[in-house]
């Protein structure tokens, strides 16, 4: 069975600083990988996804993530964060043979300070 | 496209009452998911439909919870009777192939 671990429950960072949110997964088959963002009192919104091809994936709002198969990781990065990036971020995995069911990590709360 | 539509957005009810949450998935999506989100447990998958058929309901907490999908454009999640521990945000999501698209959620408070 697959599982997703987001190592940091909270990440405080100053505005305009770079940030990395970590995500590791375990699976014995090929996977599809996703990052979602949840702003306060809203639903989850897709940031980016990896299905195949280039391991560096660019998403909305200047975020990018890199798929590393050997380390089973899919870390999310942004070179310069804004106050408006304050939100909860979820990493999710779908196994190739499991249809479109997703397994979510526990989430990381990004807190951007002025 | 209007996205996934959920109603009501907020529901406050008393313990013991029946609660029905509604979801309209994105047109053309053949999979529908119900999730529950709480501070203590995070995001939990309750049930998953594919082509209107329940595929996995192992996340449904107990018999008080039931879900239906009578057609491709509508689904309900019913709690009867409701209890204070059911207080949470309930999300509906739909999908066609890979990623899921989430609705805005229904915030349920059971007093």
């Amino acid at each position: 069975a697959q599982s997703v671990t987001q190592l940091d429950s909270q990440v405080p960072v100053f505005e305009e600083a770079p940030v990395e949110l970590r995500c590791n997964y375990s699976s014995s088959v090929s996977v599809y990988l996703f990052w979602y963002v949840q702003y306060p009192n809203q639903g989850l919104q897709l940031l980016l996804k990896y299905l195949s091809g280039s391991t560096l994936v660019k998403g909305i709002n200047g975020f990018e993530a890199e798929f590393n198969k050997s380390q089973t990781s899919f870390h999310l990065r942004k070179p310069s964060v804004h106050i408006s990036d304050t939100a909860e971020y979820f990493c999710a995995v779908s196994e190739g043979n499991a249809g479109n069911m997703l397994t979510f990590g526990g989430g990381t709360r990004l807190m951007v300070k002025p | 496209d209007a996205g996934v539509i959920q109603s009501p957005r907020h529901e406050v009810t008393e313990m013991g009452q029946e609660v029905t949450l509604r979801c309209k998935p994105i047109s053309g999506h053949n999979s529908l998911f119900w999730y529950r989100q709480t501070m203590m447990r995070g995001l939990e998958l309750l049930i998953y439909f594919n082509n209107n058929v329940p595929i996995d309901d192992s996340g449904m907490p107990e018999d008080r919870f039931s879900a239906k999908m009578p057609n491709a454009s509508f689904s309900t999640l019913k709690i009867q009777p409701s209890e204070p521990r059911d207080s949470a945000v309930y999300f509906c999501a739909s999908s066609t192939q890979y990623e899921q698209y989430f609705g805005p959620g229904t915030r349920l408070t059971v007093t």
Side-chain angles (χ1 to χ4, degrees):
Chain A
Q2 60 193 3
S3 65
V4 180
T5 302
Q6 292 183 243
L7 295 166
D8 306 301
S9 59
Q10 294 186 52
V11 173
V13 63
F14 286 105
E15 193 173 19
E16 298 183 5
V19 71
E20 178 180 84
L21 306 183
R22 296 180 292 171
C23 173
N24 287 88
Y25 67 93
S26 65
S27 175
S28 58
V29 299
S30 62
V31 295
Y32 305 122
L33 298 156
F34 307 85
W35 275 99
Y36 284 83
V37 59
Q38 184 180 29
Y39 299 105
N41 300 314
Q42 294 186 27
L44 279 70
Q45 177 184 357
L46 182 68
L47 260 183
L48 49 79
K49 62 186 176 185
Y50 171 80
L51 302 180
S52 65
S54 173
T55 57
L56 183 63
V57 180
K58 294 188 183 298
I60 62 172
N61 301 339
F63 284 92
E64 63 180 32
E66 186 158 19
F67 170 51
N68 188 317
K69 187 174 182 178
S70 63
Q71 297 187 4
T72 60
S73 68
F74 191 54
H75 300 332
L76 181 70
R77 303 184 183 99
K78 186 169 182 177
S80 175
V81 295
H82 302 286
I83 295 288
S84 60
D85 292 323
T86 295
E88 187 93 16
Y89 292 79
F90 293 91
C91 181
V93 171
S94 173
E95 289 188 332
N97 59 356
N100 43 16
M101 283 188 64
L102 297 179
T103 299
F104 283 89
T108 297
R109 182 170 298 278
L110 176 64
M111 298 176 293
V112 181
K113 300 180 286 187
Chain B
D1 199 319
V4 176
I5 299 172
Q6 291 187 248
S7 64
R9 291 295 310 277
H10 301 273
E11 177 79 36
V12 180
T13 190
E14 292 183 348
M15 182 175 62
Q17 296 298 306
E18 176 182 302
V19 175
T20 300
L21 311 182
R22 297 172 175 79
C23 175
K24 177 179 170 55
I26 293 173
S27 177
H29 285 193
N30 59 348
S31 297
L32 184 139
F33 306 81
W34 282 100
Y35 292 89
R36 178 172 67 176
Q37 186 178 40
T38 61
M39 290 291 292
M40 292 296 294
R41 296 189 170 197
L43 194 63
E44 303 173 275
L45 175 65
L46 300 178
I47 188 168
Y48 157 42
F49 291 87
N50 193 46
N51 293 324
N52 312 337
V53 176
I55 302 299
D56 185 350
D57 65 354
S58 59
M60 295 287 263
E62 50 200 271
D63 292 345
R64 296 185 298 107
F65 285 69
S66 62
K68 295 182 180 180
M69 192 165 186
N71 57 62
S73 59
F74 184 65
S75 177
T76 59
L77 178 68
K78 183 181 295 186
I79 308 172
Q80 182 185 20
S82 58
E83 297 182 3
R85 59 190 168 126
D86 301 330
S87 296
V89 181
Y90 291 81
F91 289 104
C92 176
S94 69
S95 176
T96 181
Q97 192 170 15
Y98 300 112
E99 64 268 33
Q100 295 178 17
Y101 294 85
F102 282 74
T106 295
R107 183 173 296 277
L108 174 64
T109 303
V110 184
T111 60

